Amino acid sequence: MKVMVVVGARPNFMKAAPIISALRELGSSLASADGPGNDRPKEGICHLLVHTGQHYDTAMSGSFFSDLDLPAPDIDLGVGSGSHAVQTAEIMKKFEAVLLRERPGVVVVVGDVNSTLACALTAAKVSFGPEGHRPLIAHIEAGLRSGDRSMPEEINRVLTDHLSDLLFVTEESGLRNLAAEGIASEKVHFVGNTMIDSLLSSRQRADASTVLDTLGLRTGAHGNGSAVSQYALLTLHRPANVDRDTAFSSILEGLRELGAERPIIFPAHPRTRRRIREFGLERYFQWQPAGNGRIEAAAQGERGIRVIDPLGYLDFLCLMKNATLVVTDSGGIQEETTCLGIPCVTVRQNTERPVTVESGTNVIAGTGDEGIAAAIRAQLKNTGFRKAPEKWDGQAAGRIVSILSAANPHSAQEGVRCAGTPQPQ
Ligand code: UD1
C-alpha cells in the first residue's frame, strides 16, 4: 500500500517527521520478513512525502528537514504565498495531478494549515477510475476546536475532520468535539501527539545547540555547562494579533514590565517582521531583525525585546527548554511547553488545546495589555505543573502507523509502485 504524507508549513514538519520515520521502519521490517516461505505480499507498505511549498524560506522550511531528519520531499508543489483562496486553489490544482499519477491508498494530512485542508479536499473528490475509488484520508491532530470561526485554522480543522476517514486525536477534548459534531467513533483514534514524539526524540540533540552562547544568555563565561540567564521567549504571528496596529501594540504594551526585568527573545515570523516596520513599532524593540539569518551576540545584562530571525527546530527547542517563561500565540508551543513543564502565557482569547491549561503550564491571557501583564506576573511564580497529558509519551506515530497498515483502501492497486521512493531494503 502506498501512503502519501503531505506537509506544507512550519508546524507540519515536526508532526509528520515521526510518521515518516515509523513508516520507514515498518517498510524495512516487512521487507526483512519477506523470505522464502513467507506469504506476506512483496509490495508491503511504502510512502511518498509531498511538500506543498506553502512555506519556502530556509528558516521556515529547509532547516527543519535537516533538524528533524526528514528526507527531502519526493514531490514539491512549490506553491508559495498567496491569499487564502489563491494558496488553497493552487495547492488543489497541483495536488490533484500528483494524486492521479501516484494513486496512493492513503493520504495523510497533518495539523490545521491551508495545505492540510487543500489536500484533504482534493483527495476527497478525486476519482481513480470508473469505480470512483479514492484514497483514504487520515488526519493527524484531529478534533481540536477553539470555537472561533474567525481563525482560518479553525475552518481548516473542522472541514478536514469532516472529510477524513481516519481521525487521529491528540487529547481527550478532541474525542468530545468529534462526537458532538456527529463523526462516527469507529473513524476516531486517540493516539497521542506526534509533535511530542519529535520533541522527546530531539531533546538531547537540542542540548548541543550553541544558541544560548550566541545570544549571550549564559551568566558566566561562554560555553556549554555555564549557568543560563533568566530570559523569556516570545513568538507572535497570528493575523488577529499582528496584522492590526492596535492589537499588536496592546500586546507589546503588556510585555513592557517583563522586558524591563529581563531579555525577551523574539524569533519573528516573516509576517510579524513586516508588520513591525509597516506600523512603525520599532520603539518597542531593542534590536531590529537583520533579516539575513545571522544572530548577533547581546551585550551582558541587556533587557527588553530582542527581535531575531526565525530559528531552526533544535535551536528553538533549546531556547524553549531553558526559558523562564514563554509568551506565544502559537498552538504547538502551548503543547511543547506543557511537555517541558515551562510556564506559558498564551496571548489569545481561547485555545483549541485545553489540556495544556488543565496540565497547569498554560494560561490564556487574552490580548489586552493589562491581562497579559497580570498573567505574566502570575506565571513567573507558577509551580503548578501537574503531569504530562495522557499518551504524550513519544509513541504516537507508532500507534498511527500500525492503524494505517491495517487500513484497507478500496483504491489499493496491485502493481502501483512508489516510483522515486526508497523501497524497503
Ligand atoms: C501558517 C498557518 C498557521 C501556522 C503558521 C506557522 C495557515 C492558514 N496558517 O501561517 O496556522 O501557525 O503558518 O508559521 O495555513 N512567508 C515568508 N516565507 C515563508 C512563508 C511565508 O516570507 O517561507 C510570508 C509570506 O509573506 C506570506 C506570509 O509569510 O504571505 C504568511 O504565510 P502563510 O503561509 O500565508 O501563513 P502563515 O502566517 O505563515
Side-chain angles (χ1 to χ4, degrees):
M1 177 174 67
K2 187 188 280 190
V3 178
M4 182 173 278
V5 180
V6 179
V7 292
R10 184 171 59 177
N12 291 162
F13 305 130
M14 52 293 252
K15 296 170 191 168
I19 306 277
I20 295 287
S21 149
L23 282 167
R24 274 167 151 176
E25 255 174 52
L26 180 69
S28 2
S29 67
L30 289 179
S32 56
D34 276 347
N38 187 327
D39 57 5
R40 204 186 284 279
K42 272 270 181 279
E43 193 62 32
I45 194 160
C46 60
H47 62 273
L48 280 173
L49 179 60
V50 176
H51 189 342
T52 64
Q54 176 175 345
H55 284 174
Y56 42 87
D57 285 355
T58 308
M60 299 294 287
S61 173
S63 69
F64 286 78
F65 280 76
S66 46
D67 279 0
L68 290 158
D69 272 339
L70 262 171
D74 300 293
I75 298 166
D76 193 338
L77 306 182
V79 165
S81 299
S83 69
H84 286 272
V86 166
Q87 192 173 58
T88 307
E90 283 300 316
I91 296 170
M92 288 184 71
K93 273 168 34 188
K94 295 195 168 172
F95 190 57
E96 183 181 52
V98 168
L99 284 182
L100 290 171
R101 189 177 73 231
E102 298 292 341
R103 299 162 73 110
V106 181
V107 170
V108 177
V109 294
V110 299
D112 57 14
V113 301
N114 287 342
S115 302
T116 313
L117 173 61
C119 294
L121 186 51
T122 312
K125 292 189 165 190
V126 79
S127 172
F128 288 155
E131 316 83 13
H133 288 165
R134 65 160 179 85
L136 290 177
I137 302 162
H139 184 204
I140 313 288
E141 199 187 85
L144 298 181
R145 296 289 183 268
S146 66
D148 175 0
R149 292 269 174 117
S150 69
M151 286 176 78
E153 292 82 1
E154 183 77 351
I155 306 288
N156 294 342
R157 289 181 199 118
V158 172
L159 296 181
T160 303
D161 283 344
H162 283 258
L163 296 166
S164 294
D165 305 289
L166 292 160
L167 294 93
F168 295 110
V169 171
T170 53
E171 62 167 84
E172 275 193 30
S173 72
L175 298 176
R176 291 192 293 275
N177 295 331
L178 294 173
E181 290 174 19
I183 292 183
S185 61
E186 310 85 80
K187 295 182 180 179
V188 179
H189 305 270
F190 179 23
V191 289
N193 192 327
T194 60
M195 195 180 61
I196 300 302
D197 292 5
S198 278
L199 186 149
L200 294 175
S201 66
S202 307
R203 258 174 119 159
Q204 274 188 327
R205 279 194 303 145
D207 287 337
S209 161
T210 53
V211 71
L212 294 170
D213 300 296
T214 316
L215 284 168
L217 291 172
R218 293 196 188 271
T219 46
H222 278 200
N224 262 335
S226 62
V228 178
S229 317
Q230 293 234 329
Y231 67 89
L233 180 62
L234 170 68
T235 80
L236 293 172
H237 74 281
R238 298 248 157 248
N241 284 345
V242 301
D243 285 357
R244 278 180 301 137
D245 184 358
T246 45
F248 199 174
S249 24
S250 154
I251 294 171
L252 294 171
E253 282 296 332
L255 290 163
R256 259 188 201 283
E257 196 177 301
L258 181 68
E261 289 166 2
R262 65 194 77 215
I264 304 176
I265 309 300
F266 183 22
H269 184 284
R271 162 204 289 288
T272 312
R273 211 158 50 199
R274 241 187 2 241
R275 298 298 182 228
I276 294 173
R277 279 194 299 271
E278 257 175 58
F279 300 149
L281 297 174
E282 290 89 345
R283 65 185 180 284
Y284 286 102
F285 301 97
Q286 292 300 326
W287 284 355
Q288 298 315 305
N292 59 7
R294 278 189 55 217
I295 304 171
E296 293 157 53
Q300 274 282 322
E302 200 167 84
R303 292 178 188 157
I305 307 179
R306 300 181 196 167
V307 182
I308 60 173
D309 287 326
L311 293 169
Y313 181 70
L314 295 173
D315 286 341
F316 188 79
L317 180 50
C318 176
L319 272 188
M320 199 161 37
K321 265 182 86 171
N322 289 286
T324 310
L325 174 80
V326 175
V327 181
T328 190
D329 62 3
S330 147
I333 292 170
Q334 296 173 56
E335 296 183 338
E336 290 170 330
T337 47
T338 288
C339 180
L340 293 167
I342 303 285
C344 176
V345 171
T346 298
V347 284
R348 284 174 44 189
Q349 307 296 346
N350 49 53
T351 182
E352 59 288 335
R353 293 160 160 93
V355 78
T356 60
V357 176
E358 290 150 20
S359 78
T361 48
N362 189 19
V363 164
I364 308 303
T367 52
D369 52 351
E370 285 175 16
I372 293 171
I376 289 172
R377 267 180 240 124
Q379 283 290 70
L380 284 171
K381 296 189 202 127
N382 177 1
T383 50
F385 176 56
R386 285 185 278 275
K387 65 179 172 66
E390 193 183 341
K391 298 196 186 181
W392 288 20
D393 56 2
Q395 307 300 321
R399 295 185 189 110
I400 291 169
V401 166
S402 79
I403 295 166
L404 288 181
S405 62
N408 187 16
H410 298 300
S411 57
Q413 308 276 322
E414 283 298 321
V416 174
R417 303 194 65 87
C418 294
T421 307
Q423 294 294 310
Q425 299 297 305

